[in-house]
Amino acid sequence: MASAAKEVAREIPHVVRVYNDGSVEQLCGSRYVPPSLNPDPETGVSSKDITISENPKISARLFLPNIQPQDQNLPILVYFHGGAFCVESAFSSTGHSYLNRLVSQAKVVAVSVEYRLATEISLPASYEDCWAALNWAASHSNTAQNDEPNKDPWLLKYGDFDRLYIGGDSSGGNIAHNVAMRAGFEKLPNDVKILGAFINQPYFWGSKPIGSENDRDNPRPYEILGSKTFGTEPGVDHEHTFPALVWKFVYPSAPGGLDNPMLNPEGLGAPSLARLGCSRLMISVGGKDELRDRGVRYYELVKESGWSGEVEFYEDEGDIHGSSFQETDSANQMFKRLAYFLK
């Protein structure tokens, strides 16, 4: 009997297709690049891949800056890559280059998490994987257990667990927010605290338009990790905007739909942002980003919540979504601010 014709089961136009046989076709994103224990010739950063968990399968790429004799206690950054929860990777050329630059400038030990994508299993699996990776990193703070086989020597030797940071871009920024919220309710191993979180051009949305989202005739463009320009076509209603289509693809069963608190920090039943489990927060947006007003609103919500930490806001009026991954003057300026935040 002949097999059924291969058909598209679900898709995000121009980004990814999942077929009825379970196969996946990624329509954008950058290529895989291997790690290198030999220092990168431009940045001096070394990298390697490690396994955090076999079930579920969670791995990471670790980055170590050029070590000087005085560099025995470096900040730790647990990083969550972007890509709409369904493309890109901790092992992609875009993410690898980005972390090389950031680790070199900020002098941090970085753990870039390879979480399961929504093409394999829908949300909230990505959030669970990133929380597990953060717990794994924090577990290194117990020096009495340093001989355990799943511990990494870079974190053990160089990591300063009083300066633990998390961060991410786009959907990775969304993950960083949700991980920080969870840390406000649940303890990390050995009672390690998150010192700071950076949330760059975060992917938030909701069922009701805010700010410039009301002008559907002139939507702002954005990119998926610098691969090519995407965005909502003019005249499209709010429920069918590109950000809305992404959420419906990656979390079709989300309670509350577009107002699920993981996507909309002021959605029905969302916990108070006063519970954010970090002491410092950096929020950055691009002035020409379709998601810009959501990032601004998030900053306002944090301030209004009574959260006791220090929050910093940064906007480059000329940036579209994904511009941080380009070699531009504005991207370099953002990198300097981020490196200073992590230091």
Side-chain angles (χ1 to χ4, degrees):
M1 182 177 178
S3 60
K6 188 172 181 177
E7 298 178 350
V8 176
R10 55 195 182 102
E11 68 175 335
I12 303 175
H14 312 298
V15 177
V16 66
R17 293 189 187 115
V18 177
Y19 292 93
N20 57 358
D21 63 358
S23 60
V24 176
E25 181 183 9
Q26 294 192 343
L27 306 176
C28 69
S30 55
R31 60 184 176 83
Y32 165 86
V33 293
S36 176
L37 289 173
N38 295 320
D40 175 71
E42 293 185 8
T43 63
V45 173
S46 301
S47 56
K48 64 180 177 180
D49 294 343
I50 57 94
T51 297
I52 293 173
S53 168
E54 289 290 355
N55 186 24
K57 182 67 174 179
I58 309 170
S59 53
R61 178 160 292 180
L62 271 59
F63 295 81
L64 186 70
N66 184 16
I67 298 296
Q68 302 299 320
Q70 68 273 20
D71 296 332
Q72 295 303 308
N73 293 286
L74 301 177
I76 300 165
L77 169 64
V78 179
Y79 177 79
F80 314 119
H81 72 80
F85 294 102
C86 55
V87 295
E88 286 296 340
S89 165
F91 310 139
S92 72
S93 59
T94 300
H96 183 86
S97 175
Y98 180 87
L99 265 297
N100 268 351
R101 291 168 59 205
L102 182 57
V103 166
S104 174
Q105 291 190 35
K107 282 285 187 177
V108 298
V109 182
V111 180
S112 182
V113 183
E114 180 73 349
Y115 53 85
R116 288 171 293 170
L117 299 179
T119 50
E120 175 186 353
I121 180 172
S122 68
L123 297 184
S126 299
Y127 297 119
E128 295 295 334
D129 291 356
C130 291
W131 177 252
L134 178 62
N135 275 259
W136 172 83
S139 71
H140 288 70
S141 64
N142 189 339
T143 56
Q145 300 174 349
N146 286 355
D147 58 347
E148 289 187 359
N150 200 32
K151 295 293 179 68
D152 182 81
W154 286 1
L155 287 173
L156 292 172
K157 184 174 182 180
Y158 299 109
D160 180 354
F161 291 90
D162 288 329
R163 292 188 290 167
L164 174 65
Y165 290 85
I166 62 173
D169 298 79
S170 189
S171 56
N174 174 292
I175 292 173
H177 157 71
N178 282 288
V179 167
M181 287 301 299
R182 186 165 177 176
F185 291 87
E186 298 181 33
K187 286 187 176 182
L188 291 169
N190 311 315
D191 205 24
V192 170
K193 308 295 185 186
I194 300 172
L195 176 58
F198 78 84
I199 297 176
N200 185 37
Q201 299 184 338
Y203 168 54
F204 295 125
W205 206 245
S207 64
K208 296 180 180 179
I210 64 172
S212 63
E213 295 167 13
N214 288 286
D215 182 10
R216 294 316 318 164
D217 291 331
N218 297 287
R220 296 180 173 108
Y222 58 99
E223 299 182 355
I224 300 291
L225 291 189
S227 26
K228 65 195 232 185
T229 301
F230 295 98
T232 302
E233 295 293 329
V236 172
D237 67 88
H238 192 74
E239 282 282 329
H240 295 88
T241 54
F242 192 86
L245 292 178
V246 168
W247 187 250
K248 292 171 184 178
F249 178 94
V250 300
Y251 200 176
S253 63
L258 295 176
D259 290 319
N260 183 281
M262 287 182 160
L263 180 66
N264 184 356
E266 56 182 333
L268 184 63
S272 170
L273 295 183
R275 296 297 301 269
L276 277 165
C278 57
S279 301
R280 302 176 60 221
L281 184 64
M282 177 179 172
I283 304 164
S284 54
V285 300
K288 294 183 177 180
D289 180 4
E290 184 171 9
L291 302 176
R292 181 259 180 196
D293 292 342
R294 295 287 169 171
V296 173
R297 181 59 183 150
Y298 178 68
Y299 170 63
E300 294 170 347
L301 289 169
V302 171
K303 291 197 300 178
E304 293 167 3
S305 72
W307 179 63
S308 60
E310 299 177 5
V311 59
E312 176 183 343
F313 179 80
Y314 173 68
E315 176 175 7
D316 190 299
E317 295 182 356
D319 280 356
I320 66 172
H321 194 82
S323 56
S324 304
F325 297 89
Q326 301 173 347
E327 295 283 352
T328 63
D329 290 341
S330 61
N332 291 336
Q333 181 63 29
M334 191 279 291
F335 255 81
K336 290 180 181 178
R337 293 182 69 108
L338 180 53
Y340 182 78
F341 175 78
L342 294 173
K343 287 180 178 178

